Amino acid sequence: MTTSRYALITGASRGIGRAIALRLAADGYHILLNYQTNRSAAEAVLNDIRTGGGDGTLLPFDVTDPEAVEQAIDTWRQQHPDSYISLLVNNAGIRHDDLLMWMSGDNWHRVLSTTLDGFFHVTRALLQEMLVRKWGRIINIASLSGLSGMPGQTNYSAAKGGLIAATKSLAREVARKHVTVNAIAPGFIRTDMTSDLDETTLKKTIPAGRFGEAEEVAHLVSFLASDHASYITGEVISIDGGLS
């Protein structure tokens, strides 16, 4: 494995992204914390990382803006000419739930763009160096919604389903260069993104009888990022308490 230990996590200022950042920092990675607007939340995550003995750097950009992505990563490269980002976690995503017949075009495009355009822009910016160095990990945070669909989430299901398909395709392209590409499909995880859901009712549908915790997703990311997972690629791993 390369001695470079830089991990970029998109949407890392809260929820699952925050938990992943803290876990990977504990694993020894220098965390590049991406966020778009919530600087105070990102700074709080960075402070928690440093309190735990790790380190990180804030890397703000809009994942849907290709020029912003390239500029941020190129600037980082200029400051770290002897290093590369060996681990990418595509976590950025948004929800704008509605029945399709009432869904606005804007809410359709914004949800798909954040997940799919974000995956494309950031992954493309980092992939060549992973291939040249012959080691890399790309982990995409998908969703149960992308596997089975959810009413009121046609846009979100389409975005996450597309991310799953992209994961499988890219994995076949890069496996010979020791770059793995996997997806994680969380079910109901207790974060601010699911705070508007009726947890009491929904947990009755989950065999495990509860919502998951963001830290449980983060531990799975930690494993997939490790050398122990070097023969796992193109997979979609559900973490949903048996719901799927």
Side-chain angles (χ1 to χ4, degrees):
M1 176 180 169
T2 177
T3 57
S4 298
R5 298 283 289 177
Y6 288 92
L8 171 57
I9 305 163
T10 66
S13 64
R14 59 181 185 169
I16 290 174
R18 175 186 180 276
I20 293 170
L22 293 172
R23 179 63 259 164
L24 293 178
D27 290 343
Y29 280 93
H30 182 106
I31 306 300
L32 304 181
L33 288 150
N34 165 254
Y35 67 97
Q36 183 177 351
T37 57
N38 197 343
R39 183 178 181 87
S40 62
E43 288 177 337
V45 178
L46 181 56
N47 182 66
D48 289 342
I49 287 173
R50 288 173 174 167
T51 299
D55 202 4
T57 302
L58 299 183
L59 200 66
F61 58 80
D62 179 356
V63 298
T64 70
D65 183 341
E67 293 183 0
V69 172
E70 290 288 348
Q71 182 177 1
I73 292 174
D74 284 347
T75 299
W76 183 87
R77 285 191 179 117
Q78 291 168 13
Q79 297 168 347
H80 303 82
D82 297 324
S83 301
Y84 84 110
I85 300 167
S86 59
L87 168 58
L88 168 62
V89 182
N90 286 302
N91 170 71
I94 59 173
R95 280 177 48 214
H96 285 292
D97 295 353
D98 209 345
L99 296 177
L100 182 65
M101 65 182 297
W102 303 116
M103 188 175 293
S104 70
D106 182 60
N107 283 347
W108 171 266
H109 290 293
R110 287 178 63 199
V111 169
L112 265 70
S113 183
T114 302
T115 292
L116 293 180
D117 292 345
F119 158 81
F120 173 69
H121 296 149
V122 183
T123 303
R124 183 178 60 171
L126 301 184
L127 186 59
Q128 183 175 356
E129 280 190 304
M130 292 183 184
L131 297 176
V132 169
R133 305 270 190 149
K134 296 183 179 179
W135 199 96
R137 296 285 186 268
I138 299 169
I139 301 169
N140 300 318
I141 305 302
S143 171
L144 171 65
S145 187
L147 288 170
S148 60
M150 290 288 183
Q153 288 193 336
T154 305
N155 51 358
Y156 192 71
S157 295
K160 296 301 188 178
L163 184 63
I164 288 169
T167 296
K168 291 179 174 292
S169 182
L170 181 59
R172 289 177 172 265
E173 294 180 9
V174 301
R176 290 182 181 273
K177 297 293 186 178
H178 308 290
V179 176
T180 66
V181 189
N182 291 290
I184 294 172
F188 294 110
I189 305 297
R190 189 180 290 110
T191 67
D192 55 353
M193 195 173 182
T194 59
S195 62
D196 61 327
L197 302 179
D198 184 354
E199 182 174 348
T200 300
T201 299
L202 287 171
K203 70 181 183 181
K204 296 176 183 178
T205 69
I206 303 169
R210 65 175 178 88
F211 274 26
E213 301 295 338
E215 291 74 16
E216 293 175 296
V217 179
H219 279 286
L220 179 53
V221 171
S222 174
F223 170 70
L224 289 175
S226 73
D227 285 333
H228 299 294
S230 61
Y231 201 54
I232 300 172
T233 194
E235 291 300 318
V236 184
I237 303 175
S238 297
I239 180 165
D240 59 15
L243 189 57
S244 60

